[in-house]
Amino acid sequence: MMQAVLVGDFKVNRLGFGAMRVLGSPDVWGPPKDPANARKVLRRAYELGANFFDTAESYGPQTGEMAIAEAMHPYPKDLVIGTKCGLLRPKPGRWDPDGRPEKLRKDLAGSLKRLRLDCLHLWQLHAPDPKVPFEESVGVLADARREGKVRHVGLSNVTLRQLEQARRIVPIVSVQNRYNIGDRHPEDVLKACEKLGIAFLPWYPLGDGAALKNRKVKEVAKKLEATPAQVALAWLLAKSPVMLPIPGTSSIAHLEENMGATSVRLSDEDMAAL
Ligand SMILES: NC(=O)c1ccc[n+]([C@@H]2O[C@H](COP(=O)([O-])OP(=O)(O)OC[C@H]3O[C@@H](n4cnc5c(N)ncnc54)[C@H](OP(=O)(O)O)[C@@H]3O)[C@@H](O)[C@H]2O)c1
């Protein structure tokens, strides 16, 4: 039985699935390279217990959300989809923050349509835009929640100060920041999430592969007869009860391996070594 975590009033299994990689393109650009494979990976992720999917308007752009709807709609009752707004993709390789209210409102209308939902489950601001007052961007997410177009609001790539600022405007149910065994900043945000009962979604949970080469991870994996990816994910799960890792892959074999992390138990001694 997989452990669960609350994302607002949704109870979801820990692990989730990061759907950015299903497009199969290193630049996260264009439609899925292999649509049948993308469909298969998404469906298999749910089958294996991942009932939280993370996506964004900027994946593709837009094709990431379309791939989820294509594979999963009509959605199983317990599938929770988190999408994000506020990044512009002028060309492959570029991810430019655009937190202007007009852009966020356009993203909202588009995400609702592409995901075929009347109300987004979780709408996250992808990243603060230094050119736009943070409160102004967050205000759009708060309005959408008030209007019943989104159930819950989340943040991504924020500091503790920004989390506190946003919480004065709207209830925040999740924070998605970069965090993995080799890159543990910013723990102050994780600690605040624990205290407040906010889900923490570490992106880059495998450090885009770097965690798999970590010497200590490899040693513990060998001892437990697990794989390095499983140990890196089990470490995240053991680190905090609000942790909801969202590893991403376009490979069924990697997906199955990653989901196996939920059965890896790390002892206090393993945690100390890591
Ligand atoms: N909020 C943000 O700013 C932000 C930024 C980046 C990502 N994200 C979200 O976070 C999710 C996870 O991040 P991520 O996908 O960049 O990083 P990740 O999960 O740490 O790493 C994914 C990479 O590792 C490979 N991989 C996955 N499982 C593996 C395994 N068992 N063995 C060997 N290689 C493996 C994948 O390639 P294969 O396809 O070959 O398996 C892929 O290249 C994304 O899908 C996205 O939803 C959010």
Side-chain angles (χ1 to χ4, degrees):
M1 179 76 172
M2 220 189 278
Q3 292 172 316
V5 65
L6 284 176
V7 178
D9 60 356
F10 297 118
K11 196 173 188 182
V12 299
N13 293 329
R14 315 198 291 155
L15 295 175
F17 181 68
M20 181 177 89
R21 303 280 179 182
V22 288
L23 297 177
S25 131
D27 282 325
V28 195
W29 191 261
K33 291 266 170 295
D34 178 347
N37 181 65
R39 199 177 307 126
K40 226 160 81 183
V41 170
L42 289 161
R43 290 181 182 167
R44 186 77 182 125
Y46 176 75
E47 236 170 56
L48 291 171
N51 62 357
F52 177 86
F53 284 5
D54 179 70
T55 185
E57 184 276 339
S58 53
Y59 297 166
Q62 297 157 11
T63 52
E65 292 179 331
M66 286 152 80
I68 290 182
E70 205 262 311
M72 305 303 293
H73 194 274
Y75 300 120
K77 266 203 161 57
D78 65 342
L79 178 65
V80 175
I81 300 168
T83 192
K84 307 187 214 74
C85 60
L87 283 189
L88 212 53
R89 303 290 315 275
K91 59 178 183 183
R94 285 271 297 274
W95 302 81
D96 301 347
D98 184 349
R100 290 171 303 136
E102 55 270 37
K103 158 72 170 150
L104 303 185
R105 284 193 284 266
K106 187 166 160 246
D107 285 357
L108 173 62
S111 292
L112 285 164
K113 195 164 166 214
R114 285 184 293 276
L115 288 169
R116 305 180 208 168
L117 288 168
D118 298 325
C119 175
L120 298 180
H121 305 152
L122 172 68
W123 199 36
Q124 307 155 93
L125 180 64
H126 211 140
D129 180 349
K131 299 183 298 304
V132 177
F134 184 57
E135 292 87 343
E136 218 171 275
S137 301
V138 174
V140 178
L141 282 82
D143 289 345
R145 181 179 173 276
R146 243 188 324 269
E147 290 159 11
K149 291 186 178 151
V150 319
R151 176 109 186 150
H152 292 301
V153 170
L155 300 171
S156 181
N157 300 303
V158 288
T159 61
L160 182 57
R161 189 163 164 269
Q162 287 164 333
L163 169 60
E164 283 164 357
Q165 252 179 306
R167 288 183 63 245
R168 286 196 282 273
I169 301 168
V170 62
I172 299 296
V173 305
S174 67
V175 173
Q176 184 174 149
N177 277 1
R178 195 176 72 200
Y179 188 82
N180 61 61
I181 198 161
D183 179 3
R184 302 181 188 193
H185 83 284
E187 294 217 341
D188 56 346
V189 176
L190 172 60
K191 293 288 163 225
C193 287
E194 279 174 8
K195 209 167 116 204
L196 296 162
I198 292 175
F200 185 89
L201 284 59
W203 66 261
Y204 255 12
L206 300 173
D208 199 11
L212 314 182
K213 300 187 194 112
N214 180 304
R215 182 180 56 81
K216 288 180 193 155
V217 169
K218 286 206 274 193
E219 280 168 14
V220 172
K222 195 165 172 209
K223 188 186 92 179
L224 298 178
E225 297 182 351
T227 69
Q230 289 170 338
V231 169
L233 293 170
W235 178 83
L236 285 167
L237 292 171
K239 184 82 185 161
S240 167
V242 297
M243 193 77 82
L244 172 56
I246 45 169
T249 183
S250 56
S251 139
I252 293 274
H254 284 166
L255 171 71
E256 291 177 346
E257 176 186 342
N258 296 346
M259 294 307 291
T262 56
S263 353
V264 174
R265 295 280 165 267
L266 298 177
S267 64
D268 292 346
E269 189 194 328
D270 297 329
M271 286 303 281
L274 292 164

